[in-house]
Amino acid sequence: MAAAVAPGSVGKVIVEILSELSGDADPGDRTEPSPEGKRGTTMVKRILVPLDGTPENEDVLPVVEDLARGAGANVRLLHVGPWPETVQAVDGRVLAYADQRVEALTTRCENYLGRVADRLGGLPVERAVRFGEAAEQILEDATAWAADLVMIFHAQPAGRWRASLAEQLQRKSDRTLLIYQPPPGAAAGPRDPASGCDECP
């Protein structure tokens, strides 16, 4: 199941998502499972948030915080970068091996995700860095972590990831997908001075 959310409609979409996950006919009636198992609520307890390192991508954070706080959910911030290559000088000397670059980039990206986590108001937050094709790695991480919900930012034009990422995830994922898509021409809100990651691939 996938849903799109724009600014100002967070609460409505959260209710709709929780309703669809639980199968409730009435979103306002949030009952616990009955002894017969006929009715109940499947809560969103694990929210995976892939970030590409651009400030625009972080506009999804207020939505993430609202949903996680309301559901009492844990958040996992994920950055996916392309596999780095070995760097060689003109004369063929190796300046940096690929595995060395992976270690350095992982540290930088984890530091970036740590700064993002600090902006989520004390919510339980995990951080993960992967390398490879974005959609594939997001899906693998969602499965490995048993995410209930994957939240992504989708805007025109796209950031570091292609605009087709949302479509790829919709086609391939069996997870609930929430897409944050600002309306065309929407003005960006105030930026945190520490937003974005220039060193993340």
Side-chain angles (χ1 to χ4, degrees), residues 110-134:
E110 285 181 343
N111 289 339
Y112 158 67
L113 295 177
R115 295 195 301 271
V116 173
D118 290 341
R119 294 162 54 190
L120 289 175
L123 291 172
V125 178
E126 296 183 20
R127 295 172 287 167
V129 178
R130 283 175 168 255
F131 295 91
E133 194 274 327

Side-chain angles (χ1 to χ4, degrees), residues 82-89 92-106 108 131:
W83 276 107
E85 299 178 353
T86 295
V87 178
Q88 293 181 302
R93 288 181 299 112
V94 174
L95 301 178
Y97 289 99
D99 57 350
Q100 293 174 320
R101 297 191 62 207
V102 165
E103 184 177 348
L105 288 170
T106 298
R108 293 173 187 170
F131 295 91

